[in-house]
Amino acid sequence: MPSNKSVSDAPIVQFTNCRILRSHQLQREDLWVREGKILNPEKLFFDEKGSADIQLDCKDSIIAPGFIDVQINGGFGVDFSLATDDFKSGIDLVSQKILSHGVTSFCPTLVTSPPSVYHQVLPQISIRNGGAHGAGILGAHLEGPFISKEKKGAHPEHCLRTFEEGAFQDLLATYGSLDCVRIVTLAPEMKRSSEVIRELTKRGICVSLGHSVANLSQAEEAVQHGATFITHLFNAMLPFHHRDPGIVGLLTSDKIPAGRRVFYGMISDGIHTNPAALRIAHRAHPKGLVLVTDAIAGMGLAPGRHTLGQQVVEIDGLNTYIAGTKTLSGSVATMDTCVRHFQEATGCSVETALEAASLHPAQLLGIEHKKGTLNYNSDADFLMLNDGLYVQATYIAGEEVWRQDALGM
């Protein structure tokens, strides 16, 4: 093997006495890390005759890939749908704070807003790697404004839009730029949505179906044109009906193109979805389930009044409503809470619960070769958890970026 001095001189860290989530199973193995990547120990021993420079005893912790949140509207007093002069410091604060909840990468999400907000905010979102400064940014998730009035949920009606003559050009004019955009949620029953879905997909942007009154055949057509995700399943869509199951029917549709998988987000906070509905979805299509927080600015703050884009919301315990109504508006649950609730509600394995917050979102975004697994050569973004799935430490690129202090354990 040709010697590669720059690689072999980098320190090698060996995490011992742990159970690693690899190949869908917790395996009692050591984890080897060098230069921010997960190392194959066999190559190290046999090809390089190398060994560890540092050994860390994990005290029987579970080591799992870092969580990836593809729908988060803000948190800790920061609202991603508000155009402010210090937007960058707000996004930095959220990316720092979510490390303690095991999130190592995320998609900052904007709810339906006027074009001026997109034009001001999107240029301030840059795709970046995570580190001690905070979780990595994978690109923005734009939820709206091309959604159904009937299923607008917490989105302001006066900002909703439809596709006019030049459908894709309308979308570009509304958003201003797609440079940092990773996901767009739209209602597939809208006229001309097919051409928009095709254009977005062509640019590598994930199209998600949501806030919609689409029937099953409209949803299937959208998938055939390239849509791959469902935004918060069951919420803001027609309820399941046995003669036309609507978007929910995609979970068991036989019209999905060969080799394609439809993923669906679920807010597993015990409020947005009854545990029985969570179990139905999981049993129908376990490999498509992606846990999302749909967290709003009030996550991590005391109950009271906060914002979600153009609206005022009230937090009462774990419930969040548009002020003065009983319309649910996002969540204040953290990702680690969602993982624990999902496991408890479905009775699924620890491995399944952890993969719903890591492997599945990575597969949805097509980054599973780098994130969402602990395979050799993937990014060393991982968590140490105890058996109750409480996060004890968070690592990005092999560096510890957060640890539970001894008092809080």
Side-chain angles (χ1 to χ4, degrees):
M1 179 185 166
S3 71
N4 182 339
K5 263 326 223 185
S6 69
V7 168
S8 54
D9 282 351
I12 294 163
V13 183
Q14 178 187 6
F15 294 82
T16 66
N17 188 14
C18 51
R19 290 158 290 155
I20 302 174
L21 176 55
R22 187 177 278 152
S23 305
H24 316 298
Q25 287 184 315
L26 285 179
Q27 307 184 9
R28 193 161 278 288
E29 287 176 26
D30 293 351
L31 186 76
W32 299 73
V33 173
R34 175 170 62 192
E35 287 200 320
K37 300 282 182 194
I38 290 164
L39 206 54
N40 180 345
E42 282 193 14
K43 281 194 170 169
L44 174 68
F45 302 148
F46 297 117
D47 297 348
E48 300 181 39
K49 311 281 187 279
S51 58
D53 299 290
I54 303 160
Q55 281 190 327
L56 290 174
D57 181 351
C58 301
K59 303 190 167 97
D60 204 34
S61 296
I62 292 168
I63 292 194
F67 298 149
I68 299 170
D69 193 352
V70 299
Q71 187 176 8
I72 169 171
N73 310 289
F76 315 100
V78 175
D79 183 344
F80 297 147
S81 304
L82 282 185
T84 57
D85 293 336
D86 61 347
F87 182 84
K88 279 204 168 92
S89 60
I91 209 164
D92 288 348
L93 175 76
V94 174
S95 67
Q96 229 293 307
K97 294 268 197 184
I98 56 180
L99 294 174
S100 65
H101 302 294
V103 177
T104 54
S105 304
F106 70 110
C107 293
T109 305
L110 277 73
V111 295
T112 294
S113 304
S116 58
V117 169
Y118 297 115
H119 294 186
Q120 201 177 332
V121 168
L122 290 180
Q124 299 188 69
I125 296 177
S126 47
I127 294 168
R128 67 180 187 207
N129 292 327
H133 58 273
I137 297 174
L138 299 169
H141 177 169
L142 305 182
E143 188 187 357
F146 302 99
I147 57 172
S148 154
K149 195 188 290 188
E150 292 83 355
K151 291 291 175 186
K152 66 183 188 298
H155 293 237
E157 192 171 322
H158 70 279
C159 295
L160 298 182
R161 298 171 83 88
T162 53
F163 296 120
E164 300 307 324
E165 213 55 53
F168 189 68
Q169 292 311 311
D170 295 341
L171 177 138
L172 274 179
T174 301
Y175 296 147
S177 165
L178 292 173
D179 287 351
C180 69
V181 175
R182 202 58 188 264
I183 305 173
V184 171
T185 293
L186 53 77
E189 70 274 16
M190 282 191 164
K191 278 185 188 152
R192 303 188 185 84
S193 67
S194 293
E195 57 190 271
V196 171
I197 293 169
R198 281 198 302 269
E199 285 294 329
L200 287 169
T201 305
K202 216 188 280 179
R203 287 163 170 75
I205 293 170
C206 163
V207 175
S208 188
L209 311 179
H211 288 278
S212 161
V213 291
N215 59 34
L216 178 57
S217 65
Q218 288 168 324
E220 287 169 335
E221 191 186 334
V223 170
Q224 283 150 15
H225 288 297
T228 52
F229 194 40
I230 303 170
T231 296
H232 43 53
L233 187 77
F234 298 123
N235 294 111
M237 61 187 60
L238 291 178
F240 177 88
H241 188 280
H242 57 285
R243 276 194 290 280
D244 191 335
I247 289 177
V248 177
L250 286 176
L251 271 60
T252 55
S253 167
D254 57 0
K255 304 263 188 331
I256 307 299
R260 286 267 299 285
R261 187 186 304 178
V262 173
F263 292 89
Y264 58 97
M266 292 213 81
I267 309 166
S268 167
D269 61 355
I271 287 156
H272 278 76
T273 315
N274 185 284
L278 198 53
R279 287 192 286 275
I280 286 170
H282 174 244
R283 288 174 193 176
H285 184 28
K287 290 194 163 131
L289 195 149
V290 172
L291 292 176
V292 298
T293 60
D294 198 19
I296 61 169
M299 175 179 71
L301 300 181
R305 289 200 161 205
H306 302 283
T307 65
L308 177 60
Q310 312 297 303
Q311 313 260 48
V312 176
V313 298
E314 283 176 351
I315 297 176
D316 175 14
L318 277 179
N319 292 289
T320 62
Y321 303 111
I322 293 285
T325 76
K326 286 293 169 194
T327 300
L328 284 175
S329 58
S331 125
V332 288
T334 57
M335 184 58 93
D336 53 327
T337 306
C338 291
V339 170
R340 290 191 294 271
H341 176 72
F342 172 56
Q343 199 216 353
E344 196 182 319
T346 61
C348 71
S349 67
V350 163
E351 292 93 332
T352 297
L354 293 168
E355 286 186 344
S358 54
L359 175 64
H360 295 177
Q363 289 171 328
L364 164 72
L365 297 175
I367 56 172
E368 69 274 23
H369 58 293
K370 291 191 301 189
K371 310 266 185 206
T373 76
L374 298 178
N375 294 343
Y376 303 138
N377 295 321
S378 21
D379 295 349
D381 297 356
F382 58 89
L383 314 173
M384 283 186 199
L385 305 110
N386 63 17
D387 285 353
L389 299 186
Y390 285 86
V391 180
Q392 298 172 313
T394 303
Y395 286 75
I396 293 182
E399 301 288 329
E400 183 181 294
V401 293
W402 180 83
R403 176 169 287 277
Q404 175 76 33
D405 60 44
L407 292 172
M409 285 187 65

